[in-house]
Amino acid sequence: MGITEILNLARVPSILLLGAVYMAYVLAGGLIFWKLEGEMGKKDISRLLQNKQQLLVDYTCLNQKGLEAVAQVVQDSSKAGLSMKGNYTTDGFWKFTSSAVFAATVVTTIGYGNISPSTTAGQIFCVFFALFGIPLNVVVLNRVGKYMLVIERNICDFLQEKTVKKRCTRFLIHLVSYLTGMVLFFVVPMLVFQQHEGWTYSEAIYYCFITLSTIGFGDYVAGGVQIIFNPSIVFNVSEVLTDSNPDKQYPDWYSILMASWIFFGLAWLALLVNHTIDIMERVNTHFRRWWNGGASEKEEPGDAGDAVTQVEEDDEIKKQAK
């Protein structure tokens, strides 16, 4: 038996190729981010140092130690929900509504990081809350996603009975479904956030994807607190919290809209990701067949299990559609 046959039996070429593609993708992403953000980061640091020196020159009574003390006050105030633009504050960020939103970000694994429990009891409770809440969230979202798929398939079946070109009809239904999801979960929220948060359209669409994909950097949080230091006004205590929201008033429906958008948006994007995974698996299967010279592959144990699972899911969806 030759080396090629041994590698084919072990499926090593496919694994190595996937690993190489994955590493190349990550490294290419790192290179692009480095080029896009690296130079700007150096410029920001240089500007920050100049502003710091100018601040010490303008306020001679403020030395390095005093500057550090002011920065600490600003940081602590932002965490507590105190606006530095006035001598007032609300009930803090741990109100019931914001606490409920925080609980949702925990079970959905978004984890913005704009607020977090600081007490020992709160941190321990967060661990157990997430331990049971994350699987519960996955089950619920999976169920909601299946119902979305049921609606889509019911529409497909209904229209296919009325037309002759069934494949074209199914493709158009899928396309309309994706476009509708894009409008509902990206375009409309983008307009809402641009209006109520004061973000640009690019910042709003960026926030939508970062949230629904559960990446959750926390640099932008709708209705929350973001500490984004503007290099041109840094160390100006009255303006340092440029994107802090204690000064903003939100309508009553805003939090309800946010919760609904996150919940259904997560389910929709999870379906989209699953479709993408399925496409990648099909591409991987075609590549393996091409590597084997077009010969049919022996079924792996995992493939049979996946096939059974897919059949069971299809049967369940058909039962729900009836």
Short mmCIF file of all heavy atoms in Angstrom, two decimals, residues 245-267:
data_model
loop_
_atom_site.label_atom_id
_atom_site.label_comp_id
_atom_site.label_asym_id
_atom_site.label_seq_id
_atom_site.Cartn_x
_atom_site.Cartn_y
_atom_site.Cartn_z
N ASN A 245 -23.93 56.90 28.52
CA ASN A 245 -25.34 57.12 28.32
C ASN A 245 -26.14 57.57 29.54
O ASN A 245 -27.36 57.53 29.48
CB ASN A 245 -25.99 55.84 27.77
CG ASN A 245 -25.56 55.59 26.35
OD1 ASN A 245 -25.09 56.48 25.68
ND2 ASN A 245 -25.71 54.37 25.91
N PRO A 246 -25.57 57.95 30.68
CA PRO A 246 -26.41 58.45 31.75
C PRO A 246 -27.17 59.70 31.37
O PRO A 246 -28.20 60.01 31.94
CB PRO A 246 -25.41 58.73 32.88
CG PRO A 246 -24.26 57.85 32.60
CD PRO A 246 -24.18 57.79 31.11
N ASP A 247 -26.66 60.47 30.40
CA ASP A 247 -27.31 61.71 30.00
C ASP A 247 -28.40 61.48 28.95
O ASP A 247 -29.09 62.43 28.59
CB ASP A 247 -26.27 62.68 29.43
CG ASP A 247 -25.19 63.01 30.45
OD1 ASP A 247 -25.53 63.20 31.62
OD2 ASP A 247 -24.01 63.04 30.06
N LYS A 248 -28.53 60.30 28.43
CA LYS A 248 -29.48 60.04 27.36
C LYS A 248 -30.78 59.50 27.91
O LYS A 248 -30.79 58.71 28.85
CB LYS A 248 -28.89 59.06 26.34
CG LYS A 248 -27.68 59.60 25.59
CD LYS A 248 -27.20 58.61 24.55
CE LYS A 248 -26.00 59.15 23.78
NZ LYS A 248 -25.51 58.21 22.76
N GLN A 249 -31.87 59.94 27.30
CA GLN A 249 -33.19 59.46 27.68
C GLN A 249 -33.72 58.57 26.56
O GLN A 249 -33.75 58.97 25.40
CB GLN A 249 -34.13 60.65 27.91
CG GLN A 249 -33.72 61.57 29.04
CD GLN A 249 -33.77 60.89 30.39
OE1 GLN A 249 -34.63 60.01 30.62
NE2 GLN A 249 -32.89 61.27 31.29
N TYR A 250 -34.14 57.37 26.94
CA TYR A 250 -34.63 56.41 25.96
C TYR A 250 -36.13 56.22 26.13
O TYR A 250 -36.63 56.24 27.26
CB TYR A 250 -33.92 55.06 26.12
CG TYR A 250 -32.44 55.12 25.85
CD1 TYR A 250 -31.53 55.30 26.90
CD2 TYR A 250 -31.94 55.01 24.57
CE1 TYR A 250 -30.17 55.35 26.65
CE2 TYR A 250 -30.59 55.06 24.31
CZ TYR A 250 -29.71 55.24 25.36
OH TYR A 250 -28.36 55.29 25.11
N PRO A 251 -36.86 56.00 25.03
CA PRO A 251 -38.30 55.73 25.15
C PRO A 251 -38.55 54.40 25.85
O PRO A 251 -37.67 53.53 25.91
CB PRO A 251 -38.77 55.71 23.68
CG PRO A 251 -37.54 55.44 22.88
CD PRO A 251 -36.40 56.05 23.63
N ASP A 252 -39.78 54.24 26.35
CA ASP A 252 -40.10 53.03 27.12
C ASP A 252 -40.01 51.76 26.29
O ASP A 252 -39.70 50.69 26.80
CB ASP A 252 -41.52 53.16 27.71
CG ASP A 252 -41.62 54.31 28.71
OD1 ASP A 252 -40.58 54.65 29.31
OD2 ASP A 252 -42.73 54.85 28.88
N TRP A 253 -40.30 51.88 24.99
CA TRP A 253 -40.31 50.69 24.15
C TRP A 253 -38.91 50.27 23.71
O TRP A 253 -38.75 49.21 23.11
CB TRP A 253 -41.16 50.94 22.90
CG TRP A 253 -40.81 52.21 22.16
CD1 TRP A 253 -41.44 53.41 22.27
CD2 TRP A 253 -39.75 52.40 21.21
NE1 TRP A 253 -40.85 54.35 21.46
CE2 TRP A 253 -39.80 53.75 20.79
CE3 TRP A 253 -38.76 51.57 20.68
CZ2 TRP A 253 -38.91 54.28 19.87
CZ3 TRP A 253 -37.87 52.11 19.76
CH2 TRP A 253 -37.94 53.44 19.37
N TYR A 254 -37.92 51.08 24.05
CA TYR A 254 -36.57 50.83 23.53
C TYR A 254 -36.00 49.51 24.06
O TYR A 254 -35.45 48.70 23.29
CB TYR A 254 -35.66 51.99 23.91
CG TYR A 254 -34.35 52.03 23.16
CD1 TYR A 254 -34.31 52.38 21.82
CD2 TYR A 254 -33.15 51.71 23.79
CE1 TYR A 254 -33.12 52.43 21.11
CE2 TYR A 254 -31.95 51.76 23.10
CZ TYR A 254 -31.94 52.11 21.77
OH TYR A 254 -30.76 52.14 21.09
N SER A 255 -36.10 49.28 25.35
CA SER A 255 -35.54 48.05 25.94
C SER A 255 -36.28 46.82 25.46
O SER A 255 -35.68 45.76 25.23
CB SER A 255 -35.59 48.13 27.47
OG SER A 255 -36.92 48.30 27.91
N ILE A 256 -37.61 46.94 25.27
CA ILE A 256 -38.39 45.80 24.76
C ILE A 256 -37.99 45.48 23.33
O ILE A 256 -37.82 44.31 22.96
CB ILE A 256 -39.90 46.12 24.84
CG1 ILE A 256 -40.31 46.38 26.30
CG2 ILE A 256 -40.72 44.98 24.24
CD1 ILE A 256 -41.76 46.79 26.46
N LEU A 257 -37.81 46.52 22.53
CA LEU A 257 -37.37 46.31 21.16
C LEU A 257 -35.99 45.68 21.12
O LEU A 257 -35.73 44.77 20.31
CB LEU A 257 -37.35 47.65 20.41
CG LEU A 257 -36.89 47.60 18.94
CD1 LEU A 257 -37.87 46.79 18.11
CD2 LEU A 257 -36.74 49.01 18.38
N MET A 258 -35.09 46.13 21.99
CA MET A 258 -33.75 45.57 22.05
C MET A 258 -33.78 44.08 22.38
O MET A 258 -33.11 43.27 21.73
CB MET A 258 -32.92 46.32 23.10
CG MET A 258 -32.33 47.63 22.63
SD MET A 258 -30.97 47.35 21.48
CE MET A 258 -29.88 46.40 22.53
N ALA A 259 -34.57 43.72 23.40
CA ALA A 259 -34.64 42.31 23.81
C ALA A 259 -35.21 41.44 22.71
O ALA A 259 -34.70 40.34 22.44
CB ALA A 259 -35.49 42.20 25.09
N SER A 260 -36.27 41.91 22.05
CA SER A 260 -36.89 41.13 20.97
C SER A 260 -35.93 40.98 19.80
O SER A 260 -35.82 39.91 19.20
CB SER A 260 -38.19 41.82 20.52
OG SER A 260 -39.09 41.94 21.59
N TRP A 261 -35.25 42.07 19.47
CA TRP A 261 -34.30 42.03 18.35
C TRP A 261 -33.18 41.04 18.62
O TRP A 261 -32.82 40.24 17.75
CB TRP A 261 -33.73 43.43 18.13
CG TRP A 261 -32.54 43.44 17.22
CD1 TRP A 261 -32.52 43.18 15.88
CD2 TRP A 261 -31.18 43.71 17.58
NE1 TRP A 261 -31.24 43.27 15.39
CE2 TRP A 261 -30.39 43.60 16.41
CE3 TRP A 261 -30.56 44.05 18.79
CZ2 TRP A 261 -29.02 43.81 16.43
CZ3 TRP A 261 -29.20 44.27 18.79
CH2 TRP A 261 -28.43 44.14 17.62
N ILE A 262 -32.62 41.07 19.82
CA ILE A 262 -31.52 40.16 20.14
C ILE A 262 -31.99 38.71 20.10
O ILE A 262 -31.33 37.84 19.53
CB ILE A 262 -30.92 40.50 21.52
CG1 ILE A 262 -30.17 41.84 21.45
CG2 ILE A 262 -29.98 39.40 22.00
CD1 ILE A 262 -29.61 42.29 22.78
N PHE A 263 -33.16 38.44 20.69
CA PHE A 263 -33.64 37.07 20.79
C PHE A 263 -33.90 36.46 19.42
O PHE A 263 -33.35 35.42 19.07
CB PHE A 263 -34.91 37.03 21.64
CG PHE A 263 -35.47 35.64 21.82
CD1 PHE A 263 -34.89 34.76 22.72
CD2 PHE A 263 -36.55 35.20 21.07
CE1 PHE A 263 -35.39 33.48 22.89
CE2 PHE A 263 -37.06 33.93 21.23
CZ PHE A 263 -36.47 33.07 22.14
N PHE A 264 -34.71 37.13 18.61
CA PHE A 264 -35.05 36.57 17.30
C PHE A 264 -33.88 36.70 16.33
O PHE A 264 -33.71 35.87 15.43
CB PHE A 264 -36.29 37.26 16.74
CG PHE A 264 -37.55 36.92 17.48
CD1 PHE A 264 -38.10 37.80 18.39
CD2 PHE A 264 -38.17 35.69 17.30
CE1 PHE A 264 -39.26 37.49 19.09
CE2 PHE A 264 -39.33 35.36 17.98
CZ PHE A 264 -39.88 36.26 18.89
N GLY A 265 -33.06 37.75 16.50
CA GLY A 265 -31.89 37.90 15.64
C GLY A 265 -30.88 36.80 15.86
O GLY A 265 -30.26 36.32 14.90
N LEU A 266 -30.70 36.39 17.11
CA LEU A 266 -29.78 35.28 17.39
C LEU A 266 -30.27 34.00 16.72
O LEU A 266 -29.47 33.23 16.16
CB LEU A 266 -29.66 35.08 18.90
CG LEU A 266 -28.83 36.09 19.68
CD1 LEU A 266 -28.95 35.83 21.18
CD2 LEU A 266 -27.37 36.03 19.27
N ALA A 267 -31.57 33.75 16.81
CA ALA A 267 -32.12 32.54 16.19
C ALA A 267 -31.95 32.58 14.68
O ALA A 267 -31.57 31.58 14.05
CB ALA A 267 -33.60 32.39 16.55
#
